[in-house]
């Protein structure tokens, strides 16, 4: 039983490492079960939890289709300084540093019951053959009190062309929201999980708002969303 558990843990570790840290120059494919693909074709968002690796936080992935081109989606997703305008729960976003393919961004995130948390993320953006990857991880914010931030968070976007038109987007996030007020840890985790589908929906709305003609024509009539 112990060996079986160790093997499951190893498989889970390899899966999450591949998801969080894509390596190939052409970029990895986004694996989908047949049922998941069918849901996405119908315009729905698929939400799945990545197996736990013994870390105290949780990892969730949202998958959905975006109407728009790779250039349009990349422009919207890497527009960090405007995240408060369209990203769910983002109250404030300040770009502190920028370099080729990398940005340091300070975010303030709203939580239930009037709570909020701040943290600093290092984003890395990479265009690849047939898509792009945007990954991030929490970095130190000197002087920020521990009770005003989260223990840890990291994640990534994978965006690829999707059959039938549009793009397939995978948005994966690991978060350990501690410290949170007593009794609200589960609420904070659930709140983060429930917001993931809205991230994909809001990114698509942003694409269509900024590029109405191009984005609106990416899917054929039979594939248009209601």
């Amino acid at each position: 039983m112990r060996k079986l558990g160790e093997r499951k843990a190893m498989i889970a570790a390899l899966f999450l490492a591949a998801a969080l840290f894509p390596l190939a120059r052409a970029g990895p494919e986004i694996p989908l079960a047949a049922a998941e693909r069918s849901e996405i074709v119908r315009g729905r968002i698929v939400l799945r939890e990545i197996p736990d690796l013994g870390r105290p936080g949780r990892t969730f992935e949202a998958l959905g289709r975006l109407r728009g081109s790779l250039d349009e989606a990349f422009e919207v997703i890497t527009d960090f300084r405007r995240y408060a305008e369209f990203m769910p729960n983002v109250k404030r976003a300040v770009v502190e540093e920028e370099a080729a393919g990398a940005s340091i961004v300070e975010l303030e995130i709203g939580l239930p019951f009037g709570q909020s948390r701040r943290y600093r993320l290092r984003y890395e953006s990479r265009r690849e053959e047939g898509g792009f990857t945007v990954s991030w991880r929490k970095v130190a914010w000197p002087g920020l009190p521990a009770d005003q931030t989260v223990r840890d968070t990291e994640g990534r976007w994978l965006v690829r062309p999707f059959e039938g038109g549009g793009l397939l987007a995978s948005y994966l996030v690991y978060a350990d929201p501690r410290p949170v007020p007593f009794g609200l840890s589960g609420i904070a985790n659930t709140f983060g999980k429930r917001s993931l589908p809205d991230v994909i929906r809001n990114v698509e709305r942003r694409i269509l708002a900024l590029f109405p003609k191009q984005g609106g024509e990416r899917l054929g009539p039979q594939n248009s969303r209601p």
Side-chain angles (χ1 to χ4, degrees):
M1 290 293 291
R2 183 177 178 181
K3 288 185 178 179
L4 180 60
E6 289 174 350
R7 187 167 68 177
K8 286 183 177 179
M10 183 177 296
I11 292 171
L14 290 171
F15 182 89
L16 185 58
L20 284 173
F21 305 108
L23 300 176
R25 181 174 296 178
E29 294 299 315
I30 301 173
L32 289 176
E36 293 173 332
R37 185 175 300 276
S38 177
E39 289 290 292
I40 291 170
V41 166
R42 292 173 184 160
R44 296 172 183 166
I45 306 294
V46 172
L47 185 64
R48 56 193 184 189
E49 184 167 7
I50 305 303
D52 179 56
L53 303 178
R55 297 194 291 179
R58 301 174 75 183
T59 302
F60 293 99
E61 182 181 21
L63 303 109
R65 185 159 60 172
L66 299 174
R67 287 175 286 180
S69 70
L70 286 168
D71 288 341
E72 293 161 357
F74 187 79
E75 182 173 331
V76 167
I77 289 171
T78 58
D79 191 10
F80 309 119
R81 57 176 34 87
R82 292 183 175 83
Y83 267 18
E85 297 178 17
F86 66 95
M87 282 293 191
N89 311 321
V90 176
K91 299 173 66 175
R92 181 172 173 270
V94 177
V95 177
E96 288 295 322
E97 298 179 31
E98 281 185 302
S103 300
I104 303 295
V105 184
E106 294 178 356
L107 296 173
E108 181 177 357
I109 306 297
L111 294 175
F113 305 110
Q115 299 290 316
S116 66
R117 290 295 179 267
R118 296 187 293 159
Y119 45 81
R120 182 179 285 173
L121 300 180
R122 175 182 171 85
Y123 284 91
E124 296 185 0
S125 310
R126 185 170 68 248
R127 298 297 299 261
E128 302 148 340
E129 183 181 343
F132 65 84
T133 300
V134 178
S135 60
W136 64 89
R137 59 184 175 83
K138 182 174 179 280
V139 295
W141 187 339
L144 183 66
D147 64 354
Q148 294 182 20
T149 188
V150 297
R151 181 74 58 89
D152 195 16
T153 184
E154 60 187 38
R156 60 100 184 103
W157 283 94
L158 291 181
V159 181
R160 303 286 182 264
F162 192 56
E163 70 267 17
L167 307 171
L168 177 62
S170 164
Y171 178 71
L172 183 144
V173 178
Y174 166 79
D176 177 0
R178 298 176 300 167
V180 294
F182 180 75
L184 297 183
S185 217
I187 294 175
N189 272 319
T190 301
F191 183 73
K193 173 185 176 181
R194 288 179 178 171
S195 72
L196 261 63
D198 287 335
V199 171
I200 291 182
R201 294 187 187 105
N202 286 14
V203 165
E204 182 182 67
R205 291 189 188 108
R206 186 74 170 184
I207 292 170
L208 297 178
L210 295 179
F211 311 100
K213 270 192 176 179
Q214 299 91 328
E217 295 171 355
R218 294 305 177 188
L219 301 182
Q222 73 277 14
N223 293 319
S224 296
R225 297 188 184 180

